[in-house]
Amino acid sequence: MASAAVVPEAGTLDVAVIGGGFAGIGTAIRLKQRGIENFAIFERGTAIGGTWRDNTYPGAACDIPSRLYSYSFAPNPDWSHTYSGSEEILGYIESMAAEFGLHRHFRFAHNVTGIVFDESAGLWEVSVEGGVDPVRARTVVLASGPLANASLPPIRGIETFTGHMIHSARWDHDYDFTGKRVAVVGTGASAVQIIPELVKKAASVTVFQRTPGWVLPRVNRRTTPLAKQLYRHVPGAETLSRQLWFYGHESVALGVVWNTPLTRVVEMVGRAQLRRQVKDPWLRRQLTPDFRAGCKRLLMTDDYYPALQRDNCALITWPIARISEQGIRTAEGIEHRADCLVFATGFDVSKTGTPIPVVGRDGRVLADEWSGGAYAYKSVAVSGYPNLYFTFGPNSGPGHNSALVYMEAQIDYLVGAIGTVLDRNLRLLDVRRERQDRYNAAIQRRLTGTTWNSGCRSWYLTEDGFNATMYPGFATQYVGQLRALNLDDYHVVPSETSPRRPIAAVS
């Protein structure tokens, strides 16, 4: 195919970043550090923060240590605890945006409704809801993340309930739980943080459990003023702390990613936690998982088991048959009446399909190609969709380490690719299909030996058991594969014009 000159139109962006959460902020910082300034961040909300802006339910916190749940290029010496709450994490995101001057790049209340690639021009057209004119961009970063969209679950009769309904990701802070009968659907990572807070106010809390999870202790210590001074003034102290946390979590992979003797150790810790905190044998039996540790997400909490044993809390393990006008009916025919239903049922993760319509070369529709399960080359790029990059894309989920370690590696890789497109004035940088297919075939082979594919039902898998979510290895392996952009993996279609400008390397 003959190359065509890329002559940017007036107003054409070098980069359109979709999403203003952790991934979008991190991408923007690295773009600026590389000398790329002609970009915009499209955020559907009216403030930055993404998941941590939206998830403000009582007890919301991260189950990864703060030193590790942050970017290495934007350290924060002032974390207040080992594990931070949502408000403090949001403050960290806002501080990064302020420090690196990102606010001028934001386009708030810009809900992107689709992107279409114009192959002849080598440009993406970004459509925005509400009559906003489409925007043209040389490259696009889809940084909306897997935990961006949430909806009420499709439980029969949900539309008939006459009380109040709240989803954990869309918390109603105006609702007063004092003296109310509350039903909580779900016992995952959000639920085990919410329930201990609800039992402090509500008259009763009824918890509906489909599957018990492995619960491990979470020791959340306050950071002393001396430690903060050490991190702030001693070169390398915070980096060393981060590395120690990283390799500590990395070792956990041997027990939770694969079924090994160390998996028994993780399960022993979980059972010891259960025996220590739950004295009633029948309740312990109800809370004991029947799958290997790691098959579903591990739950880190010291507060959940005690909350379940409060006088005003009850655990229900019968399946939900339907929601009625006044509560929840379970399979044995009992109606549990409630004033408020709280759904801690997770997010609409795009294991199949795409969060927004994406149309690539020759009119290909990514949602159709992902209908049997999402895939990408190294989680970042998809053949047939040139100059488009994903953060936290298919098969980049960690089961044992910080998602931000994986995300930071993706960001550095895609910023390098964007820099190559702009520096060389390329029209197309498109992954070779055979390289992509070979990579994903290897990923799926490796996944067969992991705990995630060992038989339990989880949000990691599609309905037919395809794992489009997790990376089957160590974080060091994942990061290592993204350290360098190998142009042999791509179809490189240059323009007829010379490179536009040199671009500084990422520091």
Side-chain angles (χ1 to χ4, degrees):
M1 179 183 297
S3 61
V6 177
V7 181
E9 305 165 3
T12 297
L13 296 169
D14 284 339
V15 193
V17 180
I18 302 173
F22 250 122
I25 293 289
T27 300
I29 292 171
R30 297 307 253 175
L31 287 172
K32 290 176 77 73
Q33 289 177 334
R34 195 179 176 104
I36 301 170
E37 293 280 351
N38 180 27
F39 68 88
I41 306 170
F42 294 82
E43 169 54 52
R44 67 184 178 186
T46 57
I48 66 173
T51 295
W52 294 104
R53 175 200 61 210
D54 296 338
N55 283 265
T56 59
Y57 58 80
C62 186
D63 54 10
I64 291 290
S66 305
R67 304 282 160 213
L68 206 50
Y69 198 74
S70 52
Y71 287 125
S72 66
F73 52 79
N76 174 25
D78 295 320
W79 292 115
S80 65
H81 289 77
T82 305
Y83 300 89
S84 297
S86 62
E87 186 174 348
E88 190 171 7
I89 294 171
L90 181 58
Y92 169 67
I93 296 172
E94 291 171 339
S95 70
M96 284 192 293
E99 179 183 351
F100 290 96
L102 300 183
H103 286 283
R104 68 184 182 85
H105 294 279
F106 268 91
R107 299 186 184 183
F108 291 111
H110 277 56
N111 183 29
V112 174
T113 56
I115 58 174
V116 178
F117 189 64
D118 181 347
E119 186 169 354
S120 63
L123 297 173
W124 283 96
E125 184 172 283
V126 181
S127 297
V128 180
E129 187 178 60
V132 177
D133 291 337
V135 176
R136 308 265 275 179
R138 297 285 302 281
T139 62
V140 172
V141 178
L142 194 55
S144 53
L147 307 182
N149 299 314
S151 60
L152 297 176
I155 301 176
R156 190 160 64 100
I158 193 169
E159 71 284 352
T160 67
F161 182 64
T162 57
H164 199 66
M165 293 192 293
I166 300 174
H167 192 284
S168 59
R170 304 290 182 267
W171 199 258
D172 183 356
H173 290 276
D174 294 328
Y175 186 77
D176 185 5
F177 287 92
T178 305
K180 299 294 197 306
R181 300 169 299 174
V182 182
V184 179
V185 179
T187 53
S190 298
V192 301
Q193 295 177 346
I194 293 170
I195 291 164
E197 300 301 316
L198 290 180
V199 296
K200 297 174 183 178
K201 288 187 175 183
S204 66
V205 177
T206 307
V207 179
F208 292 83
Q209 171 188 277
R210 183 172 65 182
T211 309
W214 285 102
V215 175
L216 302 180
R218 189 186 78 150
V219 180
N220 193 18
R221 300 188 185 281
R222 181 178 294 277
T223 306
T224 65
L226 178 61
K228 292 181 182 180
Q229 290 296 320
L230 182 71
Y231 292 136
R232 187 177 291 109
H233 298 297
V234 177
E238 189 162 17
T239 299
L240 176 61
S241 176
R242 179 185 174 88
Q243 289 296 98
L244 291 173
W245 278 114
F246 172 81
Y247 285 109
H249 278 75
E250 195 74 331
S251 67
V252 174
L254 295 171
V256 300
V257 176
W258 304 280
N259 186 5
T260 71
L262 287 177
T263 309
R264 310 290 91 74
V265 175
V266 175
E267 292 172 355
M268 286 173 57
V269 173
R271 289 194 180 97
Q273 172 91 333
L274 185 58
R275 285 194 302 271
R276 181 175 66 85
Q277 291 194 320
V278 179
K279 302 306 179 185
D280 179 63
W282 175 242
L283 183 58
R284 280 205 305 267
R285 181 175 175 182
Q286 290 177 302
L287 293 170
T288 301
D290 61 358
F291 52 85
R292 291 297 180 198
C295 191
K296 295 166 70 76
R297 182 174 177 178
L298 297 174
L299 305 175
M300 309 292 293
T301 173
D302 291 317
D303 304 322
Y304 175 56
Y305 287 154
L308 289 179
Q309 296 168 90
R310 293 276 293 263
D311 291 340
N312 62 334
C313 192
L315 179 69
I316 306 297
T317 58
W318 284 93
I320 294 174
R322 64 169 294 125
I323 292 176
S324 64
E325 292 183 3
Q326 299 185 59
I328 296 177
R329 292 179 187 171
T330 45
E332 87 281 32
I334 294 177
E335 181 178 69
H336 303 267
R337 296 196 170 187
D339 302 304
C340 178
L341 305 184
V342 173
F343 294 94
T345 48
F347 295 83
D348 304 329
V349 180
S350 294
K351 299 184 287 288
T352 60
T354 53
I356 61 170
V358 178
V359 180
R361 301 176 71 178
D362 303 318
R364 336 171 31 161
V365 178
L366 187 54
D368 294 342
E369 298 188 29
W370 279 4
S371 60
Y375 56 84
Y377 181 63
K378 298 183 179 180
S379 312
V380 176
V382 181
S383 179
Y385 301 85
N387 313 342
L388 170 66
Y389 307 99
F390 296 85
T391 62
F392 218 52
N395 294 114
S396 63
H400 65 286
N401 218 316
S402 171
L404 263 66
V405 170
Y406 291 65
M407 194 181 297
E408 185 171 322
Q410 294 159 15
I411 288 169
D412 284 348
Y413 181 88
L414 67 87
V415 167
I418 290 169
T420 300
V421 170
L422 300 179
D423 188 25
R424 301 189 181 195
N425 202 18
L426 301 180
R427 187 162 62 87
L428 304 177
L429 187 63
D430 193 7
V431 174
R432 295 180 183 274
R433 183 59 182 258
E434 65 274 14
R435 302 288 175 96
Q436 174 180 283
D437 290 347
R438 189 186 312 150
Y439 175 83
N440 282 285
I443 287 289
Q444 292 302 319
R445 281 196 303 271
R446 292 168 61 188
L447 279 165
T448 60
T450 64
T451 55
W452 308 310
N453 287 40
S454 62
C456 73
R457 180 180 177 183
S458 76
W459 66 269
Y460 303 146
L461 309 177
T462 63
E463 290 298 322
D464 59 0
F466 180 81
N467 192 332
T469 310
M470 308 302 285
Y471 177 74
F474 292 101
T476 47
Q477 291 175 303
Y478 186 85
V479 171
Q481 71 175 352
L482 289 172
R483 281 212 171 93
L485 176 71
N486 184 357
L487 290 181
D488 290 340
D489 295 335
Y490 290 81
H491 291 291
V492 179
V493 181
S495 72
E496 295 173 347
T497 61
S498 59
R500 191 172 36 165
R501 67 182 187 278
I503 296 178
V506 176
S507 59

